[in-house]
């Protein structure tokens, strides 16, 4: 199975940036708390990547997103990527 890279709706990246600013975290600090690398956070904030479902859940928790923000983030999350991808689970 070959997965196509998807990009999130335009407003998702800026929403994540605002939430990170509200939380008083740098990209590096957020990356450590979520368990990803800083460049990945940068790509998310620039709407260049969709997070995996696992990363979206961690972001929502760490950033204390409200219900609307969480719904937007989960709406663009992909379930066929990242640590919860079936190919990784099987390995």
């Amino acid at each position: 199975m070959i997965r196509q890279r998807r990009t999130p709706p335009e407003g998702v990246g800026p929403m994540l940036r605002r939430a990170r600013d509200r939380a008083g975290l740098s990209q590096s600090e957020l990356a450590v708390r979520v368990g990803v690398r800083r460049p990945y956070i940068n790509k998310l904030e620039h709407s260049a990547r969709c997070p995996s479902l696992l990363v979206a859940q961690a972001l929502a928790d760490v950033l204390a997103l409200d219900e609307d923000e969480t719904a937007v983030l989960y709406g663009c999350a992909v379930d066929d990527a990242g640590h919860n991808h079936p190919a990784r689970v099987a390995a």
Side-chain angles (χ1 to χ4, degrees):
M1 170 174 80
I2 297 177
R3 166 177 76 82
Q4 287 189 309
R5 186 165 309 268
R6 288 159 278 191
T7 55
E10 227 176 87
V12 173
M15 177 204 63
L16 286 172
R17 170 70 190 259
R18 286 189 304 274
R20 181 176 59 78
D21 287 343
R22 269 193 329 253
L25 298 172
S26 68
Q27 285 186 345
S28 295
E29 291 167 329
L30 178 59
V32 167
R33 291 185 186 194
V34 171
V36 297
R37 297 179 66 214
R38 191 211 50 81
Y40 184 75
I41 297 295
N42 189 52
K43 288 177 184 176
L44 292 174
E45 288 186 358
H46 285 90
S47 298
R49 293 282 303 267
C50 287
S52 69
L53 186 55
L54 190 66
V55 169
Q57 291 167 340
L59 285 167
D61 289 343
V62 170
L63 296 174
L65 299 181
D66 66 29
E67 287 183 32
D68 291 336
E69 292 169 328
T70 300
V72 168
L73 185 59
Y74 283 11
C76 75
V78 295
D79 62 0
D80 63 348
H83 295 292
N84 54 341
H85 187 279
R88 287 186 184 240
V89 174

